[in-house]
Amino acid sequence: MSTNSRSHDASALSLDLLLRNLPGAVYRCLNDSHWTMEFLSAGVEKLTGYPAAAFFGEHPIAYASLIHPDDRAQVLTDTNQAVREGRPFQLSYRIITASGKLRWAWEQGSAVVDQDGNVSLEGFIADISALRRADLLAREQASLLDKAHDAIFVMDMHARITYWNKGAERLYGWEERQVLGQRMSDLLCDNHAAFSEALRTAIEEGEWAGELQQHRRDGTTIHADSRWTVVAGDPDTGVQQKILVISTDISERKINEERIHKLAYFDALTELPNRASLLDHLRRALLGSARSRKFGALMFLDLDNFKILNDTHGHAAGDMLLQAVARRLEHSVREADMVARLGGDEFVILVQPEEEMLEAAAHQAETVAAKVVAAMNAPFQLADFMYAVSTSVGVTMISGATDTVESALKQADTAMYQAKAAGRNTFRFFDPDMQAKWTARSELETGLRRALRNHEFILYYQPQLDGDSRVIGAEALLRWRQPNGELLYPTDFIKAAEETSLIVDIGRWVLGTACAELASWQGNPVTRHLSLSVNVSARQFVEPDFVPMTQEILAATGVDPHYLKFELTETLVVTDFAHTVETMETLRRLGITFSLDDFGTGYSSLAYLRKLPLDQLKIDYSFMRDVLTDRNDASIVRSIIALGDSLGLQVIAEGVETAGQRDFLSEAGCFVYQGYLYEPALSGERFTEYAASLH
């Protein structure tokens, strides 16, 4: 007889002895919370210390009461779940015996339904206390289940596999000889973080149960429902702690769940979320908005003249268009936002509540709506022909504090019909006031574009004077002369320009025009010594071509850049400090000087002020207005003047309107002024005349 045959016979004998001496009981009980016994074999006394008769009679012991309180709820939950799913169950839990000691019980059972429909449980309960204390017994117990469908294997506390049953071979594709000694994480696991967390929990708590994504030998992925149980070691025998793992392949169930979820929450044609999914997401968005007090938007879209395509090219072409529209819409929104199809040619976009200010949220919604309308204007390739379509979009702002799912949908739908009534291929806001506001803003943007084309912008120049009332320079100020002759100031339009790319084009025109004016000054003996300050917007300053554009204008106008001064705001400076300093240094090497505009109103900080290549600080007019009556304003102005003096910077005050204000500044050490005390902003011709009059 071979060594392997003798080993096999010895294992079989050991198993037989274990089965004959293993304390345990066969039972049948009601499927209630007490597990009221209908039949119980005498073996229960070896397991619990109570005779079988104690579980019957006038005052029977409830078997469930013997289960350790920490295990009882999970045992009942696992049993009930198995009964509902119509499958057998296997349980391991602790028993409190008659003597108060704890024993580990292993139970295998199933539900039985009689002819009247009553459900009972029947099965076998065994004492596995010794099994949990010894690795050898754990291996033998697992071998009893070698024919089970589930994969059963044992690993040491370092996750190295020490036992592998036939079920594991069938599930994973590796034979026992191929896996012994290998780490489970290396052999099976796709998600190592999830594996590590499961191992940590099992070691710390004695057990872990959950789902793991794993892979087979052939590389295919499966989802496994696993239960890990730590089997105690025995120092007396040298048996080490091990982890018993039972895994069930639930891949088919996961696929079915995903398929059911997709059918329930996604549109079959476009694969976009459907109405049910939209309602769920909208409900959650409103709840989140109510907590965060942030605003979002809901957009209702309807394709214009979609019916014509169906009537002329058939429903197949219509379906192709809807699929193409879905993809284009997905590319037109942010990742956080949601595109859904309600049915037919109706789509909805949910812009998640992320803005604390309604105006900012409305601006974000306008951007998305405009992008969607523009995206739909490009023709679609459908099979062998091109088809042009447009969309009408209704927009409503949403807030969990005031809106419901129903009201938000109704408002967006109403706004969509307003868009159709306005001529289609456009969007409309539901709120009448907001719609009027955004209509006015759109008209303003259109007017700004027209102003650039038609040369409606002009520059005025406000004189800057020293303490001896001599003109030393000027600030270029933008004005917009309307076709009707009305003159608009920057406060009327500059914000709209800054929110679009128009500020870059306007800024280029301002700089070119100002440099041309400065060049003419430099050709006049009266004005050749004057400097000219030009405001530069943050959007313009960070443009990659700002420096080359400036160099091009300087070369074209032939102006001496040493008399050109750029006024920058504190907001611009702190937005990207390193880039700002680098750009300023480059321009400074050309000869351009810098003034920090509106100083004291923003993020004034000595830390950045010391590092900026500045030449001048400009006291904001808001401080000058009450400098003679408000001690705080007076203190701030004195501090700015002292700071400028300590840093070697010239200080200029704007908004100087009275002699008293000028005298205050002079006493504080500021000797450069700009304001109505001298002159308002003048046209180029008038400014030259004014400068000559004071020469």
Side-chain angles (χ1 to χ4, degrees):
M1 179 182 295
S2 68
T3 302
N4 287 341
S5 298
R6 288 196 301 273
S7 176
H8 179 76
D9 291 344
S11 298
L13 178 59
S14 177
L15 174 61
D16 182 59
L17 291 173
L18 173 65
L19 291 175
R20 284 192 288 107
N21 292 283
L22 185 67
V26 176
Y27 73 92
R28 181 186 181 97
C29 69
L30 297 178
N31 183 27
D32 58 18
S33 60
H34 302 290
W35 284 6
T36 304
M37 291 295 171
E38 296 179 313
F39 170 79
L40 186 62
S41 68
V44 74
E45 186 169 354
K46 293 182 180 181
L47 175 65
T48 68
Y50 296 101
F55 296 86
F56 301 90
E58 186 175 350
H59 300 290
I61 296 173
Y63 180 79
S65 69
L66 304 183
I67 300 175
H68 192 283
D70 291 344
D71 300 342
R72 192 177 302 150
Q74 188 63 50
V75 167
L76 294 175
T77 297
D78 291 348
T79 304
N80 290 333
Q81 183 174 345
V83 171
R84 287 195 303 270
E85 295 175 357
R87 58 175 174 79
F89 55 85
Q90 294 179 1
L91 311 168
S92 61
Y93 51 86
R94 288 167 291 178
I95 288 289
I96 303 174
T97 65
S99 63
K101 295 182 179 180
L102 291 180
R103 286 181 181 167
W104 276 94
W106 177 85
E107 178 178 347
Q108 181 170 352
S110 60
V112 177
V113 182
D114 63 20
Q115 61 184 5
D116 296 325
N118 299 314
V119 179
S120 298
L121 306 177
E122 62 178 28
F124 178 75
I125 308 172
D127 184 353
I128 60 166
S129 300
L131 185 63
R132 291 181 62 90
R133 291 193 301 268
D135 177 62
L136 177 61
L137 294 181
R139 288 171 58 90
E140 292 178 349
Q141 177 63 21
S143 70
L144 290 174
L145 303 173
D146 225 10
K147 295 182 180 180
H149 178 74
D150 293 337
I152 301 174
F153 57 94
V154 177
M155 56 187 182
D156 63 19
M157 304 308 285
H158 300 288
R160 289 188 292 266
I161 297 171
T162 62
Y163 173 77
W164 188 259
N165 82 333
K166 296 296 183 182
E169 290 186 5
R170 290 190 295 270
L171 179 58
Y172 297 112
W174 282 283
E175 297 178 6
E176 184 178 26
R177 60 181 177 82
Q178 296 172 310
V179 302
L180 294 182
Q182 294 200 49
R183 283 178 56 84
M184 176 188 171
S185 57
D186 298 331
L187 188 70
L188 304 177
C189 292
D190 286 334
N191 189 332
H192 289 274
F195 169 81
S196 298
E197 179 63 20
L199 182 62
R200 183 193 64 79
T201 301
I203 292 174
E204 292 180 358
E205 301 181 11
E207 194 167 51
W208 174 85
E211 296 181 9
L212 282 176
Q213 185 170 290
Q214 301 175 334
H215 51 253
R216 294 188 176 97
R217 182 182 181 185
D218 61 7
T220 57
T221 298
I222 63 169
H223 291 273
D225 185 10
S226 299
R227 180 176 293 277
W228 299 9
T229 304
V230 176
V231 181
D234 188 344
D236 295 334
T237 62
V239 174
Q240 302 295 314
Q241 274 188 315
K242 295 293 175 69
I243 300 175
L244 175 67
V245 180
I246 302 176
S247 292
T248 304
D249 183 7
I250 59 171
S251 301
E252 185 174 353
R253 190 186 84 192
K254 297 289 286 188
I255 292 173
N256 289 336
E257 288 175 354
E258 184 176 349
R259 184 181 297 115
I260 292 171
H261 177 79
K262 194 166 185 179
L263 289 173
Y265 290 99
F266 288 85
D267 175 54
L269 176 64
T270 63
E271 298 185 345
L272 290 176
N274 61 13
R275 184 182 186 87
S277 182
L278 169 69
L279 295 178
D280 180 57
H281 280 77
L282 179 55
R283 188 175 294 108
R284 283 186 283 162
L286 290 173
L287 289 173
S289 170
R291 290 192 298 269
S292 66
R293 299 185 179 276
K294 293 182 178 180
F295 295 90
L298 190 70
M299 303 182 186
F300 205 107
L301 291 74
D302 185 86
L303 300 183
D304 300 326
N305 301 317
F306 175 72
K307 186 175 183 297
I308 295 175
L309 176 64
N310 276 337
D311 293 343
T312 57
H313 291 86
H315 289 284
D319 288 348
M320 291 178 63
L321 176 63
L322 293 173
Q323 291 170 331
V325 166
R327 302 291 80 78
R328 196 172 288 184
L329 289 177
E330 287 179 317
H331 286 91
S332 300
V333 301
R334 303 172 304 174
E335 186 174 348
D337 300 330
M338 178 185 188
V339 180
R341 182 189 177 210
L342 292 190
D345 61 338
E346 295 179 337
F347 297 84
V348 172
I349 295 175
L350 171 61
V351 179
Q352 294 293 342
E354 295 180 353
E355 298 290 347
E356 295 182 354
M357 301 300 293
L358 177 59
E359 185 178 67
H363 177 63
Q364 175 64 43
E366 181 203 23
T367 301
V368 174
K371 189 175 181 180
V372 166
V373 171
M376 290 299 105
N377 282 329
F380 290 86
Q381 178 69 52
L382 304 178
D384 57 350
F385 68 97
M386 301 290 290
Y387 190 79
V389 70
S390 61
T391 185
S392 298
V393 183
V395 185
T396 186
M397 307 310 298
I398 60 172
S399 166
T402 56
D403 296 312
T404 65
V405 171
E406 294 75 17
S407 67
L409 285 170
K410 183 177 180 180
Q411 291 168 8
D413 188 40
T414 301
M416 184 271 293
Y417 281 105
Q418 292 176 355
K420 283 191 176 294
R424 304 173 184 267
N425 192 30
T426 188
F427 63 91
R428 286 291 183 270
F429 280 87
F430 169 75
D431 183 77
D433 293 336
M434 188 172 291
Q435 178 61 54
K437 178 179 179 180
W438 291 110
T439 298
R441 185 181 179 280
S442 178
E443 292 174 353
L444 179 59
E445 183 178 337
T446 301
L448 288 171
R449 296 184 187 280
R450 184 200 69 230
L452 275 171
R453 291 194 308 269
N454 298 344
H455 309 290
E456 296 174 8
F457 291 118
I458 55 176
L459 284 185
Y460 274 51
Y461 304 90
Q462 185 167 34
Q464 296 174 339
L465 294 88
D466 63 12
D468 296 324
S469 296
R470 292 177 301 189
V471 178
I472 61 172
E475 179 183 0
L477 298 173
L478 182 63
R479 301 290 185 262
W480 178 9
R481 189 177 298 280
Q482 299 279 283
N484 62 4
E486 181 185 3
L487 202 63
L488 296 185
Y489 291 79
T491 52
D492 298 319
F493 61 84
I494 206 67
K495 184 177 180 181
E498 287 177 341
E499 291 175 350
T500 68
S501 60
L502 288 172
I503 192 64
V504 176
D505 296 330
I506 294 173
R508 182 182 293 109
W509 178 88
V510 168
L511 183 57
T513 304
C515 284
E517 184 71 23
L518 182 59
S520 71
W521 292 358
Q522 292 174 355
N524 185 337
V526 175
T527 54
R528 65 193 311 173
H529 65 286
L530 302 182
S531 64
L532 181 59
S533 298
V534 178
N535 290 282
V536 179
S537 75
R539 180 79 175 267
Q540 182 184 15
F541 195 77
V542 299
E543 284 288 306
D545 68 341
F546 180 70
V547 172
M549 181 268 295
T550 302
Q551 292 174 309
E552 181 182 334
I553 290 175
L554 293 176
T557 58
V559 71
D560 183 349
H562 292 87
Y563 293 92
L564 178 63
K565 184 181 297 176
F566 283 165
E567 292 196 7
L568 309 179
T569 64
E570 292 185 73
T571 303
L572 183 157
V573 169
V574 299
T575 300
D576 187 347
F577 186 77
H579 177 265
T580 299
V581 172
E582 181 182 356
T583 304
M584 290 176 69
E585 293 286 5
T586 302
L587 294 168
R588 191 181 182 86
R589 287 193 289 272
L590 299 177
I592 297 171
T593 57
F594 293 94
S595 176
L596 191 58
D597 195 11
D598 302 337
F599 186 73
T601 63
Y603 305 90
S604 306
S605 168
L606 288 175
Y608 76 72
L609 200 59
R610 290 186 300 105
K611 299 177 182 179
L612 289 172
L614 291 171
D615 301 276
Q616 185 184 74
L617 296 181
K618 194 168 194 178
I619 301 173
D620 187 64
Y621 72 91
S622 62
F623 296 125
M624 294 307 305
R625 185 171 53 244
D626 299 318
V627 72
L628 299 179
T629 58
D630 189 311
R631 286 185 298 177
N632 290 330
D633 283 353
S635 178
I636 291 172
V637 170
R638 289 193 186 97
S639 298
I640 294 173
I641 295 171
L643 178 61
D645 183 61
S646 67
L647 294 175
L649 302 177
Q650 184 188 68
V651 179
I652 180 174
E654 64 178 350
V656 180
E657 299 181 354
T658 68
Q661 292 173 337
R662 180 198 57 199
D663 294 343
F664 172 88
L665 291 167
S666 178
E667 291 173 4
C670 175
F671 307 105
V672 183
Y673 319 113
Q674 175 182 336
Y676 281 14
L677 174 62
Y678 302 99
E679 283 293 331
L682 305 169
S683 66
E685 182 179 353
R686 288 279 312 282
F687 174 82
T688 302
E689 294 173 355
Y690 176 77
S693 70
L694 298 180
H695 183 63

